[in-house]
Amino acid sequence: MKCRKCGGAAVLELRRHNAAFCEPDFLEFFRNQVREAIRKYRMLAPGERVLVAVSGGKDSLALWDVLIDEGYQTTGLYLDLGIFDYSVESKARCEAFAARRAAPLIVSRVADAIGAPVPVIKNVTRRPPCSGCGLSKRYLMNRAALEHGFPVVATGHNLDDEAATLFGSVMHWQTDALPRQSPALASTHPKLVRRVKPLYRLSERETAAFAFLRRIDYIVEECPFAKGATSIQHKQILDRMEDASPGAKHNFLFGFLEKAQPAFARAEPVALNECARCGQVTTGTLCAFCKLADQVKRAT
Ligand code: AMP
Ligand code: FES
Ligand code: ZN
């Protein structure tokens, strides 16, 4: 196998691109895909201050690594969900990465904000753990960005994540979710910061290879509550399709973004208010996070 760029020995074959790369040319290919994502969706201005949400996994640490080298002023944000050893270990990976790259890291505990860690929230809501967890993560990312003066939050969602989310939304025709399925979400209210996903063009396998080649120490285990989650089943289905026909995930997601998404765009933007208690944005009077905090308080 020869590198498409230099003809040297390749370390990785990318079937969907019908190409193989040696180590330096793969790293450059990866960074080029991030640059292209940022350019296409005008995600970040040169040298902008960016809050990078890091979970300790390969995707978000690879993203942080690229953004530092691209010259953005980055700070990491780790949200401690309080999920036993999984949280202890993932936090340690984020701290080690921040120390190695001499980059600032903010650590914020979900339990301090809502009154209980994710395992307790899961019991209180009796809904899939990822629902209260996802809600808390989105809320706390936005809040931390506002408190620390960041105009934008970057997350490590990759092509596999985005294709699986799209698949789930289409399976249930969640037409509310489709306009928001985008690599970049603009700020539609002064208290809502922009959200960007600069890895949306790169597959999970590619981010794993990048993290490995860059010697990034990341947590391999999934969250213990993720077992059996429908998002994982959707990923498995898409993996089978990708095996049979390389490029299937890419075509599904990119085809949607280019051809179908405009059809789902809202004519009128959703009206947003400030939560009567915490001041963050909501479509109602009290935001979903404050309602969840009340529910946790009553039950504990
Ligand atoms: P997930 O929803 O776990 O697939 O994660 C998607 C993205 O959300 C990751 O790539 C991170 O950017 C961010 N994220 C997930 N968990 C955390 C966490 N505990 N703290 C900060 N950011 C996170
Ligand atoms: Fe949120 Fe697993 S990371 S429930
Ligand atoms: Zn609120």
Side-chain angles (χ1 to χ4, degrees):
M1 233 180 7
K2 284 195 175 151
C3 171
R4 171 157 94 181
K5 270 289 186 57
C6 70
V11 292
L12 195 76
E13 185 184 13
L14 304 181
R15 282 172 68 206
R16 83 189 154 94
H17 289 290
N18 212 355
F21 290 106
C22 68
E23 179 172 333
D25 285 324
F26 171 71
L27 296 177
E28 194 49 23
F29 160 84
F30 192 95
R31 294 187 180 112
N32 274 334
Q33 292 294 325
V34 176
R35 289 179 197 127
E36 174 61 10
I38 293 173
R39 188 200 63 75
K40 198 173 166 81
Y41 284 89
R42 295 197 184 95
M43 290 181 179
L44 308 170
E48 194 169 33
R49 294 187 75 225
V50 187
L51 188 62
V52 187
V54 285
S55 64
K58 59 187 183 322
D59 306 300
S60 49
L61 291 180
L63 171 64
W64 198 5
D65 189 69
V66 176
L67 294 182
I68 292 173
D69 290 336
E70 289 295 306
Y72 296 99
Q73 292 182 57
T74 63
T75 292
L77 170 68
Y78 175 74
L79 299 170
D80 184 343
L81 308 169
I83 307 179
F84 320 115
D85 286 355
Y86 169 73
S87 288
V88 174
E89 283 172 28
S90 50
K91 177 167 160 236
R93 305 293 156 89
C94 293
E95 288 172 339
F97 181 90
R100 197 176 116 193
R101 298 292 326 242
L105 175 72
I106 298 169
V107 175
S108 165
R109 278 164 29 105
V110 167
D112 292 341
I114 207 161
V118 165
V120 174
I121 299 175
K122 160 184 165 283
N123 292 340
V124 168
T125 57
R126 286 190 238 104
R127 294 188 50 205
C130 297
S131 64
C133 174
L135 166 86
S136 306
K137 284 196 272 200
R138 282 191 299 278
Y139 177 93
L140 293 171
M141 282 176 198
N142 190 66
R143 194 168 90 179
L146 289 175
E147 280 171 5
H148 296 272
F150 289 91
V152 56
V153 173
T155 57
H157 292 93
N158 59 34
L159 173 59
D160 294 58
D161 297 326
E162 293 300 282
T165 304
L166 175 62
F167 189 74
S169 302
V170 169
M171 281 297 286
H172 300 103
W173 288 115
Q174 287 164 338
T175 47
D176 296 0
L178 294 174
R180 281 184 281 118
Q181 166 103 35
S182 171
L185 291 172
S187 165
T188 50
H189 185 280
K191 287 203 165 173
L192 200 59
V193 305
R194 278 149 49 217
R195 274 194 288 150
V196 297
K197 302 169 185 169
L199 299 186
Y200 84 96
R201 307 176 67 83
L202 290 151
S203 71
E204 202 153 311
R205 184 167 162 265
E206 288 154 12
T207 62
F210 183 87
F212 174 78
L213 294 172
R214 291 284 298 150
R215 293 172 182 76
I216 295 171
D217 183 20
Y218 63 84
I219 182 155
V220 177
E221 292 84 53
E222 291 272 353
C223 161
F225 295 134
K227 280 194 192 76
T230 46
S231 60
I232 293 193
Q233 294 170 22
H234 292 156
K235 276 191 175 173
Q236 289 166 347
I237 293 169
L238 291 169
D239 281 344
R240 286 208 295 278
M241 293 174 63
E242 183 75 24
D243 262 353
S245 111
K249 287 177 201 171
H250 176 119
N251 293 341
F252 177 53
L253 179 68
F254 285 42
F256 167 76
L257 292 174
E258 278 155 29
K259 297 179 193 154
Q261 199 189 36
F264 294 96
R266 284 201 184 86
E268 296 276 313
V270 181
L272 293 173
N273 316 312
E274 290 184 19
C275 169
R277 185 171 318 149
C278 72
Q280 288 231 58
V281 292
T282 173
T283 49
T285 318
L286 210 56
C287 76
F289 185 83
C290 286
K291 284 184 194 157
L292 183 61
D294 280 348
Q295 209 184 340
V296 169
K297 206 168 173 183
R298 280 197 301 274
T300 50

